[in-house]
Amino acid sequence: METATAEWVSIRPLSAVTIRARFATLPFALLLMLGAVGLLVGSSQAGAQASSGEHTARTVLVLYSDNRLLTANTVFDASLRQTLRSHVGEPIDCFSEFLDEVHFPAFHQERMRDLLRAKYADRPPAAIITFAPPSLDFCLRYRSELFPDAPIVFAAVEAHTSATGALGPRVTGVRSSFDGPATLRLALRLHPDTQHVFVVDEPSRADLTSRWEDFRESESSPRFHHLDARPLQQLLEALAQLPDESLVLYLGPFAAETGRRVTPQEIAQRMAAVSRAPIYATSDAFVGHGVVGTVTTPMDAIGRETAELVGQVLGRERVDPIPPVRTLATAPIFDWQQMRRWDVRENQLPAGSILLFKPPSLWQQHSRLVLAASGLFLLQSGLILALVLQSVRRRRAEREALQRRQELAHTTRVATMGELTASLAHEINQPLAAILSNTQAAQRLLATGNTNGDEIREILADIVADDQRAGEVIRRMRTLLRRGESEPTILDVNDLAVEVVGLVRSELILQNVDPVLDLSPTPLRVHGDRVQLQQVLLNLVINALDAMKETSNGDRKLRVRTAAMDDRLVRVSVEDTGVGLPADSIDRVFERFVTTKPHGIGLGLAICSSIIQAHGGRVGAENNADRGATFWFNLPAVDAEAKR
Amino acid sequence: MSTHTVFVVDDESSVRKSLERLLRAAGYHVESFASADEFLRGEPEERIGCLVLDVKMPDLDGLELQQVLAEADRCLPIVFITGHGDIPTSVRAMKAGAVDFLAKPFDADDLLAAIERALEAAGNQASKRAERAEIERRLAALTPREQEVLRHVITGQLNKQIAADLGTSEKTIKVHRGRAMRKMQVQSVAELVRLCEKVGIHGP
């Protein structure tokens, strides 16, 4: 026999000890305790009433027909107590008792009656709630002996039971339905191809299956079969071998299986695990335990309505008549997970269906979190986008700056070459003249026949050499006139000096300048852009030539010198015998728009300076001791870098 | 083709060499020099010929050489060649008596035509110079008194007038005049006047 359990319907304020116990582990326990102290102080009057109400709190007795493990009982109990708490404006002590009548002989009920009478003698119940017909029968049978003054509120009694006349005074209750036919009708509609319906029930109620066989809705009605609920193992094996197009209607057991203490929900769960057909039941207690659905009065609704009725009964204790019996409607109840398993779609369900266990969408579940995360994500994306845009813009600006620098360098190169036009034309016209003369000489020799092969061969060799020379001049020119950057390479500044002086050779002749190449005996390697470095040296040489315009013919000397400063630096210098630099502008000649030439714009040396700086070097200028000036630039030596 | 010499002065060896070939193929006698100095040093004898001269050269350039030669009264017609001809330079050269001014690269026909003209000029100048030298030689054979008389004769004066001017007898003048005419190898006063004009001898 089940031990009677009593639970406080916690209408009374919680004691400080309870609060402390509940929050003791939390770090803000102290804070809460302070709050609790405030609560206690604030409600001291209510507390005083409660402590005296320990004797005045009325008792409500709930009498269940079965044992405590039955799901329907627990669902009902939870719903009942919750509604009592919120609907009854006074402290109530609510006790549950279990008749467990199916497992014990009938004579045991008298003992139960005596036990209850003795147990509650000191605190007679203000109302008795019965759950399911057996406990109602029990109460009605012993009405005169068992608290005859207490009103009875029954629950879980079938609506079609017509025994209302026999209830007697001060008895009311809630009628509900486990609507088997409606459940089956709905199941057949959802599974229209069903050929077989297997009714699972207590073996003792096998005869009831015939009731289901009467169920006819159309000509194509399925065949009905009975499956014994016990033994369980046999039932599970049967379910695993069901034919196609089957349906299972689970009617029981509602009570736990004795001995092995398996609850009905566990049975339903194990059935659903192996069953080849969808399982429908007539109680919502199984929804959530493998059953697809049912049409019934929801158990929590029964609990709620009963509690409300109890509230009314307690409220009008001394006033008859007692509130009338309520009849509750049924509703289809479905398990969303099982619907998915058996391919039942949501839009097939009748209107007003209760759909349980449908996982709430992320939005429903965590709308704030989703909002916050989305906001954060958007914010972050925006930030990233802004950073990317900024980076793109900066890179574009850098690219544009570099491009402009290169264009400026190119423009000044073109201008420089423009100054050399006469010289370059001379350099190209010389070999062209030689080629033409040689060719025409050969033509004449051949025409007169006054020649031998050797001479012609010589002439042709000279033509080839001259042609190559002209091509080389054009190649150097094109290199300098080319736009954009060339590939940085390792180059010898001695070669650089030879190339540049070669390029201005004619210019030197035209201007009666005597060039001296004072080159280092060993190669001086630097890492750099050949075109840009040529441009720098060319610029310095042309400046030197310009500076010597006023110098008398015999004194025009240009010295291009390359030397290793130490093992880390290479210096290239251009020395002239020109007018020299004005003392006040020596330090400023490499600035933009500073010029000492009458028609200069002051960009050449500024660009030289930026090119050399980009190569990790330095430019400089100084006046010579005797006459003229020396311009130089230093570059890091490559060999030194290799050593590091 | 004449056997006159064409002198080539150019600092660019390949140009020099090609010109030598071309001109030899055209039948000229060619001598070439790498600089103006070299030319001045290497050309002691005064041969009839012409000069193919590069304008721009280190040290003494073409125009300067032209000037040096003119000052030395060296009769050597010049054909200038240049790698980059500008108008002021060409005008200067032509004014100073150049035969032609050719921009490199030039056609052989143009060069040879210019050389022909230069040699022709050189020939003319040479024959004039030879004629003048002969006249000078004849003049040199005259006594100072005969030369004095000659200057008066070419002004168209009569013997009597000359005698009056020089304060001597008409007869003496007649003897001097006859000797001078003979030494100058002329038959008439008109002929004498022409010769004297050629060497720039004028009346007193």
Side-chain angles (χ1 to χ4, degrees):
Chain A
M1 184 166 172
E2 292 291 322
T3 313
T5 54
E7 269 186 40
W8 296 105
V9 176
S10 308
I11 293 166
R12 279 180 256 175
L14 291 167
S15 71
V17 175
T18 316
I19 291 170
R20 196 179 299 150
R22 212 170 270 179
F23 294 104
T25 55
L26 297 177
F28 40 84
L30 188 65
L31 200 67
L32 283 173
M33 277 173 69
L34 282 174
V37 167
L39 191 75
L40 282 174
V41 171
S43 61
S44 56
Q45 207 176 345
Q49 279 177 358
S51 59
S52 64
E54 210 136 41
H55 307 289
T56 60
R58 291 197 284 176
T59 300
V60 169
L61 182 62
V62 188
L63 206 53
Y64 290 96
S65 305
D66 295 285
N67 65 39
R68 197 158 56 90
L69 292 179
L70 194 69
T71 316
N73 297 354
T74 54
V75 175
F76 172 82
D77 205 54
S79 173
L80 175 81
R81 283 166 190 271
Q82 192 184 352
T83 313
L84 278 179
R85 262 200 294 277
S86 57
H87 271 70
V88 181
E90 59 175 307
I92 286 177
D93 292 340
C94 188
F95 299 96
S96 300
E97 298 290 343
F98 299 88
L99 292 184
D100 216 358
E101 58 96 28
V102 293
H103 294 117
F104 294 91
F107 65 84
H108 175 72
Q109 297 200 357
E110 283 184 33
R111 295 184 195 161
M112 191 68 189
R113 172 203 65 195
D114 297 340
L115 172 70
L116 290 175
R117 208 163 52 179
K119 187 174 177 182
Y120 295 98
D122 292 341
R123 39 193 317 162
I128 300 171
I129 299 169
T130 67
F131 185 82
S135 58
L136 176 59
D137 292 345
F138 174 83
C139 284
L140 291 178
R141 192 180 313 135
Y142 302 114
R143 188 74 175 116
S144 53
E145 298 142 280
L146 196 62
F147 313 117
D149 295 335
I152 295 172
V153 178
F154 61 83
V157 173
E158 294 276 318
H160 55 77
T161 308
S162 54
T164 43
L167 288 176
R170 299 179 69 78
V171 176
T172 185
V174 173
R175 289 192 191 281
S176 56
S177 308
F178 296 117
D179 199 342
T183 302
L184 186 58
R185 208 177 294 124
L186 182 56
L188 289 173
R189 215 179 78 206
L190 295 176
H191 306 274
D193 299 330
T194 303
Q195 300 295 323
H196 306 277
V197 174
F198 292 87
V199 181
V200 178
D201 206 347
E202 300 274 359
S204 56
R205 301 203 285 193
D207 55 318
L208 287 177
T209 307
S210 58
R211 208 177 98 199
W212 294 102
E213 287 201 45
D214 293 340
F215 183 79
R216 288 284 183 273
E217 198 162 54
S218 68
E219 290 304 310
S220 60
S221 252
R223 291 189 54 204
F224 282 81
H225 313 271
H226 179 82
L227 280 179
D228 280 344
R230 297 171 216 265
L232 182 58
Q233 197 53 44
Q234 198 178 311
L235 171 67
L236 295 178
E237 280 164 18
L239 287 173
Q241 290 163 11
L242 291 182
D244 292 340
E245 318 297 352
S246 292
L247 199 67
V248 178
L249 189 61
Y250 180 47
L251 301 180
F254 293 113
E257 192 167 2
T258 47
R260 297 183 56 202
R261 304 187 67 82
V262 181
T263 63
Q265 283 100 330
E266 279 170 6
I267 294 171
Q269 243 158 5
R270 290 173 68 173
M271 283 167 63
V274 298
S275 175
R276 294 191 66 241
I279 303 173
Y280 286 79
T282 53
S283 166
D284 61 335
F286 301 109
V287 178
H289 298 277
V291 163
V292 182
T294 179
V295 178
T296 187
T297 305
M299 194 54 76
D300 58 339
I302 298 173
R304 201 165 52 240
E305 295 284 342
T306 306
E308 283 174 14
L309 206 53
V310 168
Q312 286 178 19
V313 166
L314 291 178
R316 53 170 82 174
E317 189 181 14
R318 292 167 194 86
V319 187
D320 279 335
I322 195 157
V325 170
R326 297 181 179 189
T327 302
L328 301 182
T330 59
I333 302 172
F334 283 89
D335 181 345
W336 187 81
Q337 308 277 2
Q338 292 298 320
M339 278 169 63
R340 295 229 315 179
R341 177 181 169 191
W342 300 105
D343 205 21
V344 177
R345 284 189 305 281
E346 208 171 323
N347 58 12
Q348 292 176 288
L349 301 185
S353 296
I354 296 167
L355 192 55
L356 300 176
F357 311 113
K358 182 179 178 180
S361 70
L362 192 65
W363 176 250
Q364 288 169 329
Q365 217 169 355
H366 304 292
S367 60
R368 272 191 195 184
L369 200 66
V370 168
L371 264 181
S374 309
L376 207 65
F377 177 75
L378 280 176
L379 197 72
Q380 205 177 20
S381 303
L383 211 64
I384 289 170
L385 192 71
L387 285 172
V388 166
L389 279 178
Q390 197 185 21
S391 154
V392 164
R393 217 175 295 152
R394 197 183 56 225
R395 227 171 294 156
R396 193 188 299 145
E398 278 169 6
R399 210 166 44 232
E400 278 171 9
L402 177 70
Q403 206 176 332
R404 228 165 279 150
R405 215 159 48 230
Q406 285 176 354
E407 274 171 16
L408 192 58
H410 175 250
T411 306
T412 53
R413 276 206 302 278
V414 170
T416 307
M417 296 303 274
E419 286 181 45
L420 291 175
T421 310
S423 169
L424 292 169
H426 198 248
E427 275 297 287
I428 294 168
N429 283 336
Q430 294 286 29
L432 287 183
I435 288 167
L436 191 55
S437 298
N438 272 323
T439 311
Q440 291 184 322
Q443 283 174 336
R444 277 168 187 274
L445 289 172
L446 290 170
T448 56
N450 188 17
T451 183
N452 54 35
D454 288 346
E455 192 166 14
I456 299 295
R457 261 192 292 279
E458 249 178 66
I459 288 174
L460 290 176
D462 282 355
I463 288 173
V464 169
D466 282 324
D467 187 271
Q468 284 169 343
R469 199 181 118 197
E472 178 64 16
V473 174
I474 290 170
R475 192 191 60 75
R476 282 183 190 170
M477 216 167 76
R478 281 178 57 184
T479 306
L480 274 169
L481 290 176
R482 196 170 50 203
R483 274 177 191 284
E485 235 174 340
S486 61
E487 281 291 301
T489 52
I490 303 240
L491 48 96
D492 182 355
V493 294
N494 288 339
D495 294 344
L496 204 68
V498 170
E499 282 165 9
V500 169
V501 172
L503 204 59
V504 296
R505 201 187 63 105
S506 295
E507 192 66 28
L508 298 171
I509 294 169
L510 294 177
Q511 299 197 15
N512 281 307
V513 174
D514 194 8
V516 176
L517 273 175
D518 187 356
L519 302 182
S520 154
T522 55
L524 300 174
R525 275 183 280 269
V526 298
H527 185 256
D529 183 319
R530 179 177 291 274
V531 173
Q532 292 187 353
L533 293 179
Q534 274 186 359
Q535 176 177 3
V536 173
L537 188 52
L538 185 63
N539 213 308
L540 297 185
V541 166
I542 285 176
N543 280 356
L545 295 183
D546 285 347
M548 292 191 285
K549 285 253 161 74
E550 305 299 321
T551 309
S552 57
N553 268 359
D555 293 334
R556 294 181 187 171
K557 298 253 187 296
L558 175 79
R559 182 187 292 271
V560 177
R561 194 197 298 267
T562 63
M565 300 282 286
D566 48 49
D567 62 343
R568 289 182 298 109
L569 275 184
V570 166
R571 171 170 285 199
V572 179
S573 56
V574 178
E575 200 178 315
D576 65 50
T577 54
V579 290
L581 290 163
D584 61 336
S585 64
I586 286 186
D587 297 332
R588 298 176 51 233
V589 285
F590 290 104
E591 290 173 21
R592 257 155 214 254
F593 308 119
V594 171
T595 182
T596 58
K597 297 186 198 176
H599 302 292
I601 54 167
L603 277 180
L605 286 177
I607 288 163
C608 288
S609 176
S610 75
I611 289 174
I612 294 300
Q613 276 171 23
H615 282 75
R618 216 161 69 79
V619 287
E622 59 229 5
N623 279 324
N624 297 334
D626 44 357
R627 65 183 306 180
T630 298
F631 281 76
W632 52 262
F633 59 85
N634 291 344
L635 290 172
V638 161
D639 292 345
E641 277 182 5
K643 272 182 217 163
R644 264 179 230 162
Chain B
M1 276 298 154
S2 77
T3 53
H4 295 320
T5 304
V6 179
F7 301 100
V8 174
V9 181
D10 196 317
D11 61 315
E12 189 66 41
S13 68
S14 65
V15 174
R16 219 161 51 230
K17 206 165 150 194
S18 69
L19 284 177
E20 273 180 49
R21 282 195 186 111
L22 178 66
L23 297 176
R24 287 213 178 93
Y28 295 105
H29 179 248
V30 185
E31 283 184 30
S32 62
F33 306 88
S35 71
D37 281 334
E38 198 180 302
F39 171 74
L40 289 173
R41 281 199 306 274
E43 200 243 342
E45 48 181 321
E46 296 197 350
R47 277 177 289 175
I48 299 172
C50 73
L51 191 55
V52 175
L53 181 56
D54 187 23
V55 177
K56 284 292 176 186
M57 288 183 294
D59 302 325
L60 203 57
D61 72 15
L63 291 177
E64 287 163 341
L65 178 60
Q66 183 185 31
Q67 208 180 335
V68 169
L69 291 174
E71 279 166 8
D73 193 27
R74 175 71 172 90
C75 172
L76 204 58
I78 298 173
V79 176
F80 277 108
I81 53 175
T82 178
H84 179 75
D86 59 293
I87 290 168
T89 311
S90 60
V91 168
R92 229 179 102 198
M94 296 305 283
K95 270 191 174 169
V99 175
D100 211 339
F101 193 95
L102 299 174
K104 294 177 187 174
F106 41 78
D107 192 83
D109 291 339
D110 293 341
L111 178 67
L112 294 175
I115 286 174
E116 269 310 301
R117 270 183 281 129
L119 288 178
E120 199 183 316
N124 291 341
Q125 282 173 15
S127 52
K128 271 183 203 158
R129 185 169 289 209
E131 191 183 6
R132 211 160 51 233
E134 175 60 22
I135 297 166
E136 301 272 2
R137 195 185 54 78
R138 290 176 195 170
L139 275 174
L142 268 59
T143 64
R145 196 59 177 179
E146 284 166 357
Q147 285 188 9
E148 203 174 4
V149 172
L150 189 107
R151 283 201 177 81
H152 285 84
V153 171
I154 60 173
T155 62
Q157 284 184 310
L158 299 173
N159 287 350
K160 195 197 290 177
Q161 289 168 313
I162 301 169
D165 282 358
L166 296 179
T168 184
S169 69
E170 193 182 342
K171 191 167 179 193
T172 309
I173 295 300
K174 195 180 176 181
V175 171
H176 283 305
R177 182 184 184 138
R179 280 193 198 139
M181 294 285 273
R182 201 166 49 246
K183 282 182 181 170
M184 290 306 287
Q185 300 175 13
V186 293
Q187 309 300 320
S188 65
V189 174
E191 212 176 334
L192 182 70
V193 169
R194 209 165 51 242
L195 284 188
C196 286
E197 271 178 359
K198 281 181 179 170
V199 293
I201 292 174
H202 306 288

